[in-house]
Amino acid sequence: VPFQIDPIIPFQGNEDFTRISPLRRIPVFIDGQVTLGDSTAIGEYLDERYPLPLLFPKMPAARAQARWLEEFADSRMGDVFIWRIFNVAVIRPAVLKQPRDDAAIGETLRDEPPPIMDYLESVAPGDGFACGDLALADIAIAVHFANLRWSRTAADLSPWPKTIAWIDRVERTPALAKLTSLAERAMTVRRAEWRALYGEMGIALSETTYAGQGFRKGPMSV
Ligand SMILES: N[C@@H](CCC(=O)N[C@@H](CS)C(=O)NCC(=O)O)C(=O)O
């Protein structure tokens, strides 16, 4: 599916960004027919509009399980891995110039990930992916572990080996490996250089941007 990217970062959309994303969150997907401000809605739309490759399994039970796992990743893992860890370790220091709060991160790491990891270990497949073929559920869960690495914490995930092996398989799939390497490169350059970096990596860019200046919390930010 051909696409263009407008590489903007959370909390820095311009005024017009509210029109396409009332929650002022990324990602946002726009085509000639829809403007969607949530990754679940985007994934389901892409799956229905472009039937191959499948993003969700076809059979009802596997499809429901994939939806549930994606929701678990979006809500619970998002709360812990993004909002309470990555946000405190990376976003606030980089965007708000606030000192990194290692005490808060340590407390979160002690209390929050273990039950999440226990649950993932109970659903982690011994080989292959969670619901048969690779599905959006696998990717939605795996991306949180890249954010955890980028948060540079002392998290020890060794008690959950099946989950680690599963996430490793997902991260090695070519599409996700490419995206992860793009994200890693983007973190090494300043925001003003992102469009040049994406262009250099052969990714088509939108002609206009919703990037703004300064910091602005969305209506659901904590
Ligand atoms: N459930 C949403 C979560 C999106 C989300 O939390 N986006 C964050 C960045 S990862 C954001 O844009 N935060 C800015 C804000 O809330 O003000 C989805 O899956 O799309």
Side-chain angles (χ1 to χ4, degrees):
V1 179
F3 64 94
Q4 296 178 342
I5 286 189
D6 176 12
I8 71 170
I9 62 175
F11 307 110
Q12 297 200 332
N14 63 16
E15 277 302 312
D16 220 18
F17 183 57
T18 309
R19 189 176 51 76
I20 60 162
S21 180
L23 304 181
R24 292 189 60 82
R25 288 188 160 175
I26 58 163
V28 180
F29 176 90
I30 304 173
D31 68 7
Q33 301 182 49
V34 292
T35 298
L36 305 171
D38 179 86
S39 61
T40 311
I42 295 168
E44 291 185 351
Y45 174 66
L46 290 174
D47 195 50
E48 286 155 11
R49 172 134 194 229
Y50 304 98
L52 289 174
L54 292 175
L55 292 181
F56 291 89
K58 276 279 174 240
M59 298 307 284
R63 194 169 176 85
Q65 176 71 358
R67 280 213 180 95
W68 153 242
L69 291 177
E70 194 276 339
E71 167 57 24
F72 182 73
D74 196 350
S75 299
R76 180 65 182 138
M77 294 182 76
D79 183 39
V80 172
F81 288 73
I82 302 293
W83 286 106
R84 296 204 221 175
I85 300 178
F86 188 70
N87 189 37
V88 179
V90 178
I91 302 261
R92 283 195 206 164
V95 178
L96 285 179
K97 309 296 174 215
Q98 287 180 357
R100 176 184 161 113
D101 188 346
D102 277 307
I105 295 169
E107 210 171 297
T108 300
L109 278 178
R110 190 194 59 213
D111 298 336
E112 307 296 344
I116 293 174
M117 296 303 297
D118 288 345
Y119 177 65
L120 292 180
E121 194 75 357
S122 78
V123 294
D127 60 21
F129 302 107
C131 308
D133 291 335
L134 179 74
L136 195 60
D138 303 283
I139 295 171
I141 289 170
V143 290
H144 288 297
F145 291 89
N147 277 282
L148 184 63
R149 285 197 300 276
W150 298 330
S151 302
R152 300 183 319 281
T153 70
D156 174 17
L157 302 180
S158 61
W160 301 281
K162 265 175 82 183
T163 306
I164 308 237
W166 166 37
I167 299 309
D168 189 55
R169 285 193 296 280
V170 180
E171 288 194 316
R172 284 171 196 274
T173 58
L176 189 53
K178 184 176 169 190
L179 184 68
T180 307
S181 100
L182 169 65
E184 274 165 6
R185 283 197 65 191
M187 278 188 285
T188 65
V189 302
R190 285 177 311 149
R191 193 190 82 171
E193 290 155 24
W194 275 14
R195 289 182 75 85
L197 170 69
Y198 279 50
E200 184 195 311
M201 292 185 79
I203 294 170
L205 293 164
S206 59
E207 270 172 33
T208 53
T209 181
Y210 287 91
Q213 298 295 326
F215 175 89
R216 179 163 160 193
K217 269 188 178 184
M220 286 178 68
S221 301
V222 285

